[in-house]
Amino acid sequence: MIKELFLSPRRIALFLWHWLLGGFFLGTLTLTGPVRWATGYARSAGWSESAEKLAVFSLIGALAAVSLLLAAALTRKTESASGPAGRWGLPAASLALFLTALALWLNPKLMTNSTPQSAAEVFSWSEFVFGPYPEEDRLAGLKAEGYTAVISLLSPAVMPFEPVLLAREKGAAKEIGMEIIHIPMLPWVSSNDHVKARLKEIERRGPGKYYVHCYLGKDRVNVFKTMLSSVSGGARLKSLGPADVRTLNDIKKLERGAITVLRKDVFFTPYPTDEEYFAYILNGTVKSVASLLNPDNPDDLPWIKKEEAIAGKYGLKIVNYPWKKLDATGRAKALREIRALEKPVVIHAFLAHTADSLGFIAAYRGGPAAATAAQPASEGK
């Protein structure tokens, strides 16, 4: 069947037509149905990031297989159909399904399963309100409410809908006389180096009121808020509304191991992945990070440098206490200083359940006496 399907350019073109257009529709159904349900369940059940990814990738793999088989079947059906209506009907149906899915993506209100919320923060120099993509009526309302500008975090790299939404937003804003400040952000930690420079430019403009949005007003706006606080020297004066953020209280595991709650707002974790950093730490819900990695260990050093770079970029306080090499006096001192860090605080080794990690947890829970009595462990990280 597959060999016969790929013999002619026409068959290849038909197959790609059905696969790409129909696959986009099936992908939309999968993301808004099974993937959303699976991730919601995974987070409520405290699954690790890796387990959640595995579930999502399994669904995507099933989607790819189904879309390939369906495209092959539709290609054979199209070629065997008699008359122009039969031969053009199925390709037209695939196109219609694609356009239907695209229309959904171009309407962010339909792509969320809850009522969007806005959150406002007043900093020392301006007020910023955070929320989802603003439709034309919302833009008009922002103009009437005296907003200085709208800051759009949509990225042209998020194809195919964010470039269209961005163009539509700019067109609507031009008609009503609202300024759009475009600061594209991607939902991972290594691709937003330009944001702080743009925030400095906004700060130099003086006081104003800004509406900040990404697509659904979730992860990217929360990371933007963290970077904004860093640029402002942490001068956040008050919070004016609820924020849609994920916290470490919502999950039980990270990819490299379990989360241990040592006390209120004190979490012991393994070294977070980039995705975990973006979703749970850089969103403003963590104030300090204490790393137990050892800079004298060549295996640890690249991870320490990477984390320091992330912390510097996003204005996160990070300290290092190489637990493995500290003597009893050093460990007691480290515990005192870690307890004094601004909370919420994340304390991490590389893995969560090595002997050194368990030794730290026991020392933290046991107080200074336990730390003084503890001997440096000999196990690796």
Side-chain angles (χ1 to χ4, degrees), residues 200-216:
K200 289 289 188 182
E201 293 175 8
I202 296 172
E203 183 178 17
R204 287 193 290 269
R205 294 169 55 149
K209 186 176 182 180
Y210 300 90
Y211 181 80
V212 185
H213 74 87
C214 53
Y215 183 68
L216 295 177

Side-chain angles (χ1 to χ4, degrees), residues 44-288:
S44 65
W47 289 14
S48 67
E49 195 83 8
S50 58
E52 182 180 328
K53 280 183 182 178
L54 179 61
V56 171
F57 288 156
S58 298
L59 290 170
I60 292 174
L63 165 67
V66 170
S67 63
L68 284 168
L69 292 173
L70 182 61
L74 289 174
T75 300
R76 293 196 308 273
K77 191 74 173 176
T78 301
E79 287 199 313
S80 64
S82 59
R87 289 181 177 272
W88 289 101
L90 288 176
S94 291
L95 177 60
L97 291 175
F98 169 80
L99 294 175
T100 299
L102 183 60
L104 289 174
W105 284 110
L106 292 176
N107 190 340
K109 289 181 180 179
L110 298 179
M111 298 304 290
T112 178
N113 58 357
S114 61
T115 302
Q117 293 182 324
S118 294
E121 300 285 347
V122 178
F123 290 80
S124 56
W125 44 281
S126 284
E127 180 180 347
F128 294 82
V129 176
F130 304 89
Y133 178 86
E135 301 290 352
E136 186 173 358
D137 57 344
R138 177 62 171 143
L139 285 174
L142 295 173
K143 176 69 174 178
E145 294 168 23
Y147 278 74
T148 306
V150 170
I151 299 176
S152 176
L153 307 181
L154 298 182
S155 173
V158 182
M159 298 289 288
F161 51 92
E162 287 202 3
V164 177
L165 289 172
L166 180 61
R168 191 168 77 190
E169 180 182 23
K170 288 181 175 179
K174 184 176 181 180
E175 287 188 9
I176 64 175
M178 171 65 77
E179 180 185 3
I180 298 292
I181 301 173
H182 184 213
I183 308 179
M185 287 186 69
L186 290 170
W188 43 82
V189 297
S190 59
S191 304
N192 301 307
D193 298 333
H194 60 291
V195 176
K196 279 192 175 181
R198 297 297 305 277
L199 286 174
K200 289 289 188 182
E201 293 175 8
I202 296 172
E203 183 178 17
R204 287 193 290 269
R205 294 169 55 149
K209 186 176 182 180
Y210 300 90
Y211 181 80
V212 185
H213 74 87
C214 53
Y215 183 68
L216 295 177
K218 294 187 177 181
D219 287 342
R220 278 179 283 181
V221 297
N222 289 316
V223 173
F224 181 91
K225 188 188 303 183
T226 300
M227 300 181 77
L228 180 60
S229 180
S230 172
V231 168
S232 304
R236 180 182 300 168
L237 303 182
K238 60 179 178 177
S239 176
L240 303 179
D244 188 0
V245 295
R246 292 185 281 173
T247 76
L248 291 170
N249 286 310
D250 299 329
I251 56 174
K252 297 178 181 178
K253 297 179 181 178
L254 297 182
E255 181 169 321
R256 296 185 174 103
I259 297 170
T260 300
V261 180
L262 299 177
R263 56 178 295 187
K264 179 177 170 56
D265 291 336
V266 179
F267 305 91
F268 186 87
T269 75
Y271 192 101
T273 64
D274 285 359
E275 294 85 354
E276 290 162 349
Y277 243 108
F278 198 92
Y280 297 105
I281 296 178
L282 298 178
N283 60 2
T285 62
V286 171
K287 298 298 184 183
S288 311

Side-chain angles (χ1 to χ4, degrees), residues 331-345:
R331 290 185 173 190
K333 180 176 182 291
L335 284 171
R336 288 195 302 272
E337 294 178 359
I338 289 173
R339 288 191 176 99
L341 290 172
E342 184 179 6
K343 297 174 180 59
V345 59

